[in-house]
Amino acid sequence: MKTVSIAVLSLALAAGATGTATFAHTVAGVPAQDNAAKQRKEYDDYKKIEAEQDPAKKLELARAFFDSDPTPTYVKYVQGQVNAARYALFTRYKDAGDLANAAKIADEYVASVPETDLFFAFQLTTLAEARALKQG
């Protein structure tokens, strides 16, 4: 009797485990497909951001990317593109002598990458001094 009970119990457990595995696979398959589609869209968005030449447009695309609640996979790569775009805008404003916009972009950059504060402080000070000398 004990042998039959153990055999029946073993079969029941095996059937239950198999049934659970099938159910888990079916349920997990749908989110896995959704996750794969989301990852593909994030990759495509990242590549679009990377290819964009205009730094202002690049920042706009990056904001949309971050607003979409991305998975962590491409976040650091997009953040690198954001930093590059901010630096390009900073340089554009600095070269144009636009101290206000250069300072705004520098503040955004330093908020994202705090260790750059001395670099931007030096650049902004130089720009302000050059403007002051021009104005007399």
Side-chain angles (χ1 to χ4, degrees):
M1 188 72 158
K2 288 183 183 176
T3 306
V4 174
S5 297
I6 292 173
V8 171
L9 182 59
S10 297
L11 286 173
L13 287 173
T18 305
T20 304
T22 303
F23 177 72
H25 175 69
T26 303
V27 172
V30 173
Q33 289 172 348
D34 289 346
N35 191 35
K38 182 175 173 134
Q39 292 263 334
R40 181 60 197 193
K41 181 179 180 336
E42 288 177 4
Y43 173 78
D44 292 343
D45 290 346
Y46 162 66
K47 293 307 275 182
K48 191 183 301 181
I49 293 165
E50 183 181 48
E52 181 59 52
Q53 295 299 309
D54 179 27
K57 179 70 175 167
K58 188 178 286 240
L59 288 175
E60 183 181 313
L61 291 170
R63 278 188 205 100
F65 174 84
F66 288 121
D67 287 345
S68 73
D69 190 31
T71 59
T73 307
Y74 297 102
V75 168
K76 69 179 178 180
Y77 301 112
V78 172
Q79 188 60 50
Q81 292 296 312
V82 166
N83 291 342
R86 283 181 178 147
Y87 186 77
L89 281 175
F90 173 79
T91 303
R92 180 186 295 172
Y93 292 137
K94 185 182 86 158
D95 291 348
D98 186 348
L99 183 60
N101 281 321
K104 179 183 170 216
I105 293 295
D107 286 343
E108 290 176 11
Y109 199 112
V110 170
S112 176
V113 188
E115 61 270 18
T116 60
D117 61 341
L118 293 177
F119 170 79
F120 285 106
F122 173 76
Q123 294 292 322
L124 291 170
T125 301
T126 304
L127 177 59
E129 287 173 352
R131 271 183 89 188
L133 286 173
K134 274 186 182 178
Q135 292 175 352

